[in-house]
Amino acid sequence: MIWASWSDFFSMGGYGFYVWGSYLVAFACIAGEIALVFNRKRTLLKHLSLIHESTKEEKRNETTS
Amino acid sequence: MAINWFNYSSPASFYFLAGKMIPPFTIAATILFAVGLYIGFFVAPTDFQQGEAYRIIFIHVPAAWMSMFLYVMMAIWAGIGLAFNTRLSSMMATAIAPTGAMFTFLALWTGALWGKPMWGAWWVWDARLTSELILLFLYIGFMSLQAAIDDPRRADKAGAVIALVGVVNIPIIYFSVKWWNTLHQGASVSITQSPKMATTMLTGMLIMSIACWMYAIAVILMRTRTIILERERHTAWVGELQGATK
């Protein structure tokens, strides 16, 4: 094994700040992008269902009045 | 039996095809990321010169490759959309841009964090770094130009122009290290010569590159589906889909 211990692993030969700074931001970018895409679809579907509801009501009002 | 090539070029049929394609790519990306990171951190040896700092390569190079590759794909889809007036092609181009911008930012960020310990500077106006920064501005320009135009079809045409004009920047980035020979080192991996990297390091990097590629496909297909729904919300099939999900 390359790493003697977990602390040795996290110190990354003294370059821990740079290596983990890169990988943490990489993970954050990927996780963030996935969250954004899911959020975009959810808000769209909510928006569409609101329109769907309101058009249904209009039709019901037209027929009853 | 004539193959109907254009069956999946209609947004409605592509919506369902993309839906079926996303899970396999997501699984492939997850597995390859796990394997790539394991090789990168637990198999690849310490570098005799850079010590452990070189391990940034397993995210820096895949991100840089993806930033260039995705821009070319965006330009191709934008070009097809412009030439053949096919809505779905332009939707694909619009869907690629954010992921491309993310990888470009990532390449610049990880490059800076690698450059600081090795070159002693976060940023240098080096040919490779500067052309990659221009690539980031091109992505942002594409996205903001499209966002500034209300009519999606006109936004597609405008976006296609900026995508096609900007594609000249990709060979500049790739060959910048050779033409200007400034600080950033030359290509250590090329299709023509044998690689100048240790095999485990190279394997780790290639697996991470494929992982990033699988991830990009999955995310871009998801965004394309959302764009299709946004633009086709007045159609009957979206109405049915809407009714069905109730």
Side-chain angles (χ1 to χ4, degrees):
Chain A
M1 261 310 257
I2 302 167
W3 312 107
S5 65
W6 279 109
S7 66
D8 180 27
F9 174 71
F10 285 112
S11 79
M12 201 48 74
Y15 296 113
F17 171 73
Y18 302 107
V19 175
W20 301 120
S22 304
Y23 280 91
L24 279 176
V25 167
F27 179 77
C29 285
I30 289 174
E33 186 178 25
I34 293 170
L36 278 176
V37 170
F38 270 102
N39 184 40
R40 181 172 176 171
K41 183 156 190 185
R42 205 160 18 89
T43 42
L44 174 71
L45 289 179
K46 214 182 305 164
H47 179 64
L48 286 181
S49 66
L50 287 179
I51 295 171
H52 198 66
E53 290 309 320
S54 58
T55 44
K56 231 187 291 180
E57 255 145 44
E58 271 152 33
K59 283 202 191 75
R60 211 175 299 126
N61 300 345
E62 276 155 23
T63 49
T64 49
S65 61
Chain B
M1 193 274 289
I3 299 170
N4 173 358
W5 294 104
F6 297 102
N7 173 35
Y8 288 113
S9 66
S10 88
S13 51
F14 182 75
Y15 181 84
F16 297 102
L17 171 69
K20 284 197 276 290
M21 284 164 63
I22 290 170
F25 283 111
T26 311
I27 294 162
T30 320
I31 294 169
L32 288 171
F33 267 129
V35 170
L37 287 172
Y38 176 74
I39 292 175
F41 280 104
F42 296 103
V43 174
T46 311
D47 185 60
F48 76 97
Q49 201 177 16
Q50 299 193 22
E52 306 302 345
Y54 90 97
R55 293 185 194 277
I56 297 175
I57 198 172
F58 299 113
I59 191 68
H60 177 65
V61 171
W65 282 350
M66 285 308 296
S67 70
M68 293 190 280
F69 172 67
L70 285 178
Y71 192 92
V72 171
M73 290 312 297
M74 184 173 84
I76 290 169
W77 283 121
I80 292 172
L82 190 66
F84 302 107
N85 216 352
T86 42
R87 299 193 318 269
L88 185 58
S89 316
S90 306
M91 291 185 207
M92 286 288 285
T94 308
I96 290 174
T99 306
M102 187 272 286
F103 276 124
T104 310
F105 164 74
L106 212 51
L108 289 166
W109 173 269
T110 52
L113 261 72
W114 195 358
K116 181 59 183 167
M118 290 304 131
W119 294 342
W122 298 105
W123 179 262
V124 171
W125 290 106
D126 157 276
R128 164 66 57 86
L129 280 66
T130 312
S131 45
E132 184 78 13
L133 185 64
I134 291 167
L135 181 64
L136 182 63
F137 293 150
L138 276 169
Y139 273 120
I140 293 168
F142 177 88
M143 290 189 282
S144 45
L145 178 65
Q146 291 216 321
I149 300 170
D150 293 334
D151 167 24
R153 297 302 294 134
R154 277 185 58 240
D156 291 343
K157 287 189 177 46
V161 169
I162 199 172
L164 290 169
V165 165
V167 91
V168 72
N169 185 35
I170 300 303
I172 291 175
I173 296 175
Y174 188 74
F175 292 111
S176 61
V177 279
K178 230 183 334 192
W179 292 341
W180 286 286
N181 196 7
T182 40
L183 192 54
H184 193 285
Q185 74 275 9
S188 16
V189 172
S190 82
I191 315 149
T192 50
Q193 313 130 356
S194 68
K196 309 181 194 120
M197 278 172 71
T199 38
T200 44
M201 295 177 184
L202 181 65
T203 336
M205 194 174 75
L206 293 179
I207 289 176
M208 283 294 282
S209 303
I210 299 166
C212 287
W213 188 18
M214 296 297 114
Y215 160 78
I217 293 171
V219 161
I220 287 163
L221 285 179
M222 280 164 62
R223 191 176 291 117
T224 308
R225 274 161 61 93
T226 309
I227 292 172
I228 290 173
L229 281 184
E230 276 164 12
R231 293 201 187 177
E232 307 280 302
R233 57 176 175 271
H234 305 299
T235 58
W237 71 273
V238 172
E240 278 149 35
L241 201 70
Q242 193 49 46
T245 49
K246 191 53 72 279

